[in-house]
Amino acid sequence: MPAVSKGDGMRGLAVFISDIRNCKSKEAEIKRINKELANIRSKFKGDKALDGYSKKKYVCKLLFIFLLGHDIDFGHMEAVNLLSSNKYTEKQIGYLFISVLVNSNSELIRLINNAIKNDLSSRNPTFMCLALHCIANVGSREMAEAFASEIPRILVAGDTMDSVKQSAALCLLRLYKTSPDLVLMGEWTSRVVHLLNDQHMGVVTAAISLITCLSQKNPDEFKTCVSLAVSRLSRIVSSASTDLQDYTYYFVPAPWLSCKLLRLLQCYPPPEDGAVKGRLVECLETILNKAQEPPKSKKVQHSNAKNAILFEAISLIIHYDSEPNLLVRACNQLGQFLQHRETNLRYLALESMCTLASSEFSHEAVKTHIETVINALKTERDVSVRQRAADLLYAMCDRSNAKQIVAEMLSYLETADYSIREEMVLKVAILAEKYAVDYSWYVDTILNLIRIAGDYVSEEVWYRVIQIVINRDDVQGYAAKTVFEALQAPACHENMVKVGGYILGEFGNLIAGDPRSSPLVQFNLLHSKFHLCSVPTRALLLSAYIKFINLFPETKTTIQEVLRCDSQIRNSDVELQQRAVEYLKLSSIASTDVLATVLEEMPPFPERESSILAKLKKKKGPGAVSVTELEDNKREGGELNGGADRGPDSASTPSPSGDLLGIRAAAPIGAAPASAGSLLVDVFSEAGIAVSSAAVNDEGFLSSAPPSEDPAPPLSVADDLLNKFVCKNNGVLFENQLLQIGIKSEYRQNLGRMYLFYGNKTSVQFASFTTTVSCPGELVYSIMFLKFLNCCVQLNVQTKPVEPLVEGGAQIQQVLNIECLTDFIDAPLLNIKFRYGGGLQNLTLKLPVTINKFFQPTEMASQDFFQRWKQLSQPQQEAQKIFKANHSMDTEVLKAKVRLPSPICKPRHILHSPCIPVGCIVCVCVCPQMYRLTLRCSKDLVSQRLCDLLAEQF
Amino acid sequence: MMRFLLLFSRQGRLRLQKWFTPMMDREKKKIIRDMTTMVLSRQPRTCNFMQWKDLKIIYKRYASLYFCLAIESQENELLALEVIHRYVELLDKYFGNVCELDIIFNFEKAYFILDEFLMGGEIQETSKQIVNRSIDASDMLQEDDSSEWYEVQLFG
């Protein structure tokens, strides 16, 4: 037996451990353990009282057995007894056993708490530290309840020894993390902050962890720590490497403390005080300069400690995102690391550059390293480094380099590790879609993706390519041609067959003119893959076949034969059999017209968030991609959608989304008629009136409502807000320091769909994020009730609950489906509650759902118009307002708004709930500096409400 | 903060486990299994960092023993590597040329040393001298266990 025991060795324990080590088999080990357990049990149960030493020894043996991975179901009581021993070693073993083995077993916790209480009040620093450690290790709620008020007192008391202060600070931190509600700092706050000035570096190191955590939760209360942290940091950074004695680590002064200070500063915006800020910038520059100095030691510990500080400083620079000079220097430094011989540094540089890529100041600088990063992707031996390189390529991608990056990622996919292929596929698909300038490139990319990594191409990806092809008629012919060619390959992936089947079924006619891809050739090609495919793909192919019958009558007999054969019409799979039977019947009895109607080309898909993006977000966890997405959406806003399909007059309303699908769905319904005789101004269509600005003024929003569980009253400015959205469907609904709510909506007839985007502007998670929509009439709907309530409500709003956690910098989306059942006046209310830091945030907004959204314009000749106008002649049916122009009556602007100088009238007619049709007619007259707005409507309330709403728009 | 620290041998035998947040036994066993397989399957001269769920795993091998530390995502990887190194230095100072056997036979000491250095997943004291002195002081207390507790100058 090796004589390795030190201090007071427990001989029995050493013998036991050596026995276990000598066991030749698992069985022998278990046998030895069981023997020991029996022995200990009998000792604990025996009549003879055990002395402290034996008790300690047996408890220690039990602990060893537990750590070997065996269950221990006794001995806890003996361990608790050890806590009240006067002997330090016995107490220490008792605490160790409890720290390792006890979970919140309530009976025991009470006894343990008693022992801890005694030790805390013993004024013996060693015992106090043991007790504090135990609290931190177990960290249960009961312990927090018992000690949360005691520990701050120990922490700030003048006569507490330094070692105890350190333990108390970290113990308090632990309790704060488990039960923040029980740790009330209040009066201690400023004394805790001033621990940053403590002479003892160990105390500062421990305390700063606590302060950082508290600052994240209550930034305002701990604001004073910023200047203290800056001056402490400045003293460390400028100190010579020997000044700090034992806190210098391999010639680097206090690396742990420096990093913690830099981390603490990341909880705050840049200091406002010029002197403090100057000092901090100086520190950051010194740290960057030191990176260029020759190393003081060849030891890796030296460079690690030095670079740890450097990376932390770079994080702070990125966090501030306001010093272009520092950002570019940081980027250059990271660029050097990209080629460093240390793998660790290359890994970290790639990781850090990812965040740098999202800053507008350094995005370009990051892009200059593209070749190095691509090279890393190709040559790094370590998969985790390659993964980082792929992440960085994704982050630095923009329109200028998308083709190169996508091509590199595709070629990497051929050899990529299996563990990261699926994510890579999603990323390629997203980049290809987001930066597609021409859609043929997009289609090529996705088909390549399927070819290279077909197994990893999830449904979302191939659904998406189909959605896009269907929504873009300029790419349909190309897509048909390309899939046709791709299907020629002798072995092609099933996903390719799916895409091919779907696209040829819809658009095969576009390439049928070429004899090499005549209808029959297309059909035979598809059918040659049929037998190798799974059931869902076969089902899809059957649908493609029936579409062929419609597209190409000449294929009818061939296809009918296929459908009629036993393997189809008697297929054991119910779905396939049913399709075969029904399609066969349909093709034989339906007339060409009926067939053409039933099998018409698929209508465009409605606009929605890219399903692939949603998938990637889900895969990476919330917050992982959304920050960059948000940025990109801002940067790239509308470029994709502003394509050729848009109406000529809608160029001024870029959609805020980078989504490919908005194109047809958002095409303006009420595009202004161009006929010469028209006297109309299009008040309702999105494009008609340029509303001042999309951004909402945030003054007045900053005061969050008092923390209460009831919904806050609607913000007083909410009506202004509503007015901004009367003629607009998209924009920022609300913004304060914490939260931004964007809105996108579309309406058709009596239905509307509204997308709400909740963006967390902070770096801290919002917890318990809930939103509730209540409609006029105080009813809160869930999908379940809706059907029963229809009869008494004006407006139906359906939605699903949002995710309760919104990560810092993340954005979540909520979709509201709105149905207008009858006319209404009050807008629905949106109540949002979430926890930020310690406090509950509660705010209520009016959703900009106004009755005019459910109107549709109708064009009519002027005599029809006046005839209708006269029909609505009762006084209460008319509402009129004469008012001064709010916006300048600049002739150019007016020309855009108004087609002709004098009386302008726009007849409109409302569509409506199923039960109450309401017609409405609008007439606008313009005189110098004045408008006269007249509305006539079969329902008097409606004309009044509309008049109020519209008057604000001029 | 740090979430856990595991020490295991090249054969995957666990030598020390420290959990800084409460966790179910089942969960612990799963993590131990995941970590040993992940770390042991790494090629030599790859980087010391890995992403695992929402945590960063930092590992380093010292002789026959792997040290594997899990930190939260905003923490500094390089410093975590130095946390491991400092712990090794502390063990080395205490045992004198520490080896795996020291940790097996004196596992409780390894825990005590760790507790002086880290607490609740944060650094408590980075000074090697101070940690060593307090460990030595508690050893002195042990040798003198017969008496009631008496004043010991811990940080002279």
Side-chain angles (χ1 to χ4, degrees), chain A residues 740-763:
Chain A
Q740 184 193 53
I741 305 176
I743 196 166
K744 235 164 79 175
S745 47
E746 49 192 0
Y747 293 90
R748 196 158 303 164
Q749 300 190 350
N750 63 328
L751 298 176
R753 180 176 291 158
M754 180 175 281
Y755 299 83
L756 291 167
F757 300 90
Y758 305 98
N760 180 346
K761 291 171 68 180
T762 69
S763 53

Coordinates of all heavy atoms in Angstrom, one line a residue, chain A residues 740-763:
Chain A
Q740 N -38.7 46.1 -28.1 CA -39.2 46.7 -29.3 C -40.3 45.8 -29.8 O -40.1 44.5 -29.9 CB -38.1 46.8 -30.3 CG -38.6 47.5 -31.5 CD -37.6 47.4 -32.7 OE1 -37.2 46.3 -33.0 NE2 -37.2 48.5 -33.3
I741 N -41.4 46.3 -30.2 CA -42.5 45.5 -30.8 C -42.7 46.0 -32.2 O -43.0 47.1 -32.5 CB -43.8 45.6 -30.0 CG1 -43.5 45.3 -28.6 CG2 -44.8 44.7 -30.6 CD1 -44.7 45.5 -27.7
G742 N -42.4 45.1 -33.1 CA -42.6 45.4 -34.5 C -43.9 44.8 -35.0 O -44.4 43.8 -34.4
I743 N -44.5 45.3 -36.0 CA -45.8 44.8 -36.4 C -45.8 44.6 -37.9 O -45.2 45.5 -38.7 CB -46.9 45.7 -35.9 CG1 -48.2 45.1 -36.0 CG2 -46.9 47.0 -36.7 CD1 -49.2 45.8 -35.2
K744 N -46.4 43.6 -38.4 CA -46.6 43.4 -39.8 C -48.0 42.9 -39.9 O -48.4 42.0 -39.2 CB -45.6 42.4 -40.3 CG -44.8 42.9 -41.4 CD -43.6 42.0 -41.6 CE -43.9 40.7 -42.3 NZ -42.7 39.9 -42.6
S745 N -48.8 43.4 -40.8 CA -50.1 42.8 -40.9 C -50.7 42.9 -42.3 O -50.2 43.6 -43.2 CB -51.1 43.6 -40.0 OG -50.9 45.0 -40.2
E746 N -51.6 42.0 -42.5 CA -52.2 42.0 -43.9 C -53.7 41.7 -43.6 O -54.1 41.0 -42.7 CB -51.6 40.9 -44.8 CG -51.4 39.6 -44.1 CD -50.5 38.6 -44.9 OE1 -50.0 39.0 -46.0 OE2 -50.4 37.5 -44.5
Y747 N -54.5 42.3 -44.5 CA -56.0 42.2 -44.3 C -56.6 41.8 -45.6 O -56.1 42.2 -46.7 CB -56.6 43.5 -43.9 CG -56.1 43.9 -42.5 CD1 -55.0 44.6 -42.3 CD2 -56.8 43.4 -41.3 CE1 -54.5 44.9 -41.0 CE2 -56.4 43.7 -40.1 CZ -55.3 44.5 -39.9 OH -54.8 44.8 -38.6
R748 N -57.5 40.9 -45.6 CA -58.3 40.6 -46.8 C -59.7 40.4 -46.3 O -60.0 39.6 -45.4 CB -57.7 39.4 -47.4 CG -58.2 39.2 -48.9 CD -57.2 38.3 -49.6 NE -55.9 38.9 -49.6 CZ -54.8 38.2 -49.9 NH1 -54.9 36.9 -50.3 NH2 -53.6 38.7 -49.9
Q749 N -60.6 41.1 -47.0 CA -62.0 41.1 -46.6 C -62.2 41.2 -45.1 O -61.7 42.2 -44.5 CB -62.6 39.8 -47.1 CG -62.5 39.7 -48.6 CD -63.2 38.6 -49.3 OE1 -63.7 37.7 -48.6 NE2 -63.3 38.6 -50.6
N750 N -62.9 40.3 -44.5 CA -63.1 40.4 -43.1 C -62.1 39.7 -42.2 O -62.2 39.6 -41.0 CB -64.5 39.9 -42.7 CG -64.6 38.5 -42.9 OD1 -64.0 37.9 -43.9 ND2 -65.4 37.8 -42.1
L751 N -61.0 39.3 -42.8 CA -59.9 38.6 -42.1 C -58.6 39.4 -42.1 O -58.3 40.1 -43.1 CB -59.7 37.2 -42.8 CG -60.8 36.3 -42.8 CD1 -60.5 35.0 -43.6 CD2 -61.3 36.0 -41.4
G752 N -57.9 39.2 -41.0 CA -56.6 39.9 -41.0 C -55.6 38.9 -40.3 O -56.0 38.1 -39.5
R753 N -54.4 39.1 -40.7 CA -53.4 38.4 -39.9 C -52.3 39.4 -39.5 O -51.9 40.2 -40.3 CB -52.8 37.3 -40.8 CG -51.7 36.5 -40.1 CD -51.1 35.4 -40.8 NE -52.1 34.3 -41.0 CZ -52.0 33.5 -42.0 NH1 -51.1 33.5 -42.9 NH2 -52.9 32.5 -42.1
M754 N -52.0 39.3 -38.3 CA -51.0 40.3 -37.7 C -49.8 39.5 -37.1 O -50.0 38.6 -36.4 CB -51.7 41.1 -36.7 CG -50.8 42.1 -36.0 SD -51.7 43.2 -34.9 CE -52.5 44.3 -36.0
Y755 N -48.6 40.0 -37.5 CA -47.4 39.4 -36.9 C -46.8 40.4 -36.0 O -46.6 41.5 -36.3 CB -46.4 39.1 -38.0 CG -46.8 38.1 -39.1 CD1 -47.6 38.6 -40.1 CD2 -46.5 36.8 -39.0 CE1 -48.0 37.7 -41.1 CE2 -47.0 35.9 -40.0 CZ -47.7 36.4 -41.0 OH -48.2 35.5 -42.0
L756 N -46.7 39.9 -34.7 CA -46.0 40.8 -33.8 C -44.6 40.3 -33.5 O -44.5 39.1 -33.3 CB -46.8 40.8 -32.5 CG -48.2 41.5 -32.6 CD1 -49.0 41.2 -31.4 CD2 -48.0 43.0 -32.8
F757 N -43.7 41.1 -33.5 CA -42.3 40.7 -33.3 C -41.8 41.4 -32.0 O -41.7 42.6 -31.9 CB -41.4 41.1 -34.4 CG -41.8 40.6 -35.8 CD1 -42.7 41.2 -36.6 CD2 -41.3 39.3 -36.1 CE1 -43.1 40.7 -37.8 CE2 -41.7 38.8 -37.4 CZ -42.6 39.5 -38.2
Y758 N -41.6 40.6 -31.0 CA -41.1 41.1 -29.7 C -39.6 41.0 -29.7 O -39.1 39.9 -29.7 CB -41.7 40.4 -28.6 CG -43.2 40.3 -28.6 CD1 -43.9 39.2 -29.1 CD2 -44.0 41.4 -28.1 CE1 -45.3 39.1 -29.1 CE2 -45.3 41.3 -28.1 CZ -46.0 40.2 -28.6 OH -47.4 40.2 -28.6
G759 N -38.9 42.1 -29.7 CA -37.5 42.0 -29.6 C -36.9 42.4 -28.3 O -37.3 43.5 -27.7
N760 N -36.1 41.6 -27.7 CA -35.5 41.9 -26.4 C -34.2 42.8 -26.7 O -33.3 42.3 -27.3 CB -35.1 40.6 -25.7 CG -34.4 40.8 -24.4 OD1 -34.0 42.0 -24.1 ND2 -34.4 39.8 -23.6
K761 N -34.2 44.0 -26.3 CA -33.1 44.9 -26.7 C -32.0 44.8 -25.7 O -30.9 45.4 -25.9 CB -33.6 46.4 -26.8 CG -34.5 46.6 -27.9 CD -35.1 48.0 -27.8 CE -34.1 49.1 -28.0 NZ -34.7 50.4 -28.0
T762 N -32.2 44.1 -24.6 CA -31.2 44.0 -23.6 C -30.4 42.8 -23.8 O -30.6 42.0 -24.7 CB -31.8 43.9 -22.2 OG1 -32.4 42.7 -22.1 CG2 -32.8 45.0 -22.0
S763 N -29.4 42.6 -23.0 CA -28.6 41.4 -23.1 C -29.0 40.4 -22.1 O -28.4 39.3 -21.9 CB -27.1 41.7 -22.9 OG -27.0 42.4 -21.7

